[in-house]
Amino acid sequence: MAPAQEADNDVRWLTSSYSGGAGSDCVEVGFGGPVTSVRDSKAPQQGTLTVRTNTFAAFVNDLKTCADIREAG
């Protein structure tokens, strides 16, 4: 993930490295304190999905596990 241009208070926004080639279809993840937020990089003003950081970490870990299973299968 690459740092985004904008910072919201104490949140550091990172742009997904899996975004479309021309920078379209991007999501950003904001890390700051006990919560993690996800937003559309093309329309950040339209809101965010915010969850506890440990919940987000578990979600990402589950995605990685699913990807590993797919590659092995």
Side-chain angles (χ1 to χ4, degrees), residues 31-73:
F31 300 98
V35 297
T36 298
S37 300
V38 180
R39 68 183 182 185
D40 182 342
S41 63
K42 295 178 302 230
Q45 70 284 358
Q46 291 190 5
T48 60
L49 169 67
T50 302
V51 297
R52 292 181 181 176
T53 297
N54 60 345
T55 302
F56 185 77
F59 170 70
V60 170
N61 189 47
D62 286 348
L63 290 176
K64 289 178 183 179
T65 299
C66 289
D68 291 344
I69 291 169
R70 284 180 127 189
E71 287 179 13

Side-chain angles (χ1 to χ4, degrees), residues 3-18:
Q5 298 283 345
E6 176 186 346
D8 294 338
N9 300 326
D10 293 332
V11 176
R12 179 173 178 199
W13 290 98
L14 302 175
T15 303
S16 171
S17 59
Y18 290 99

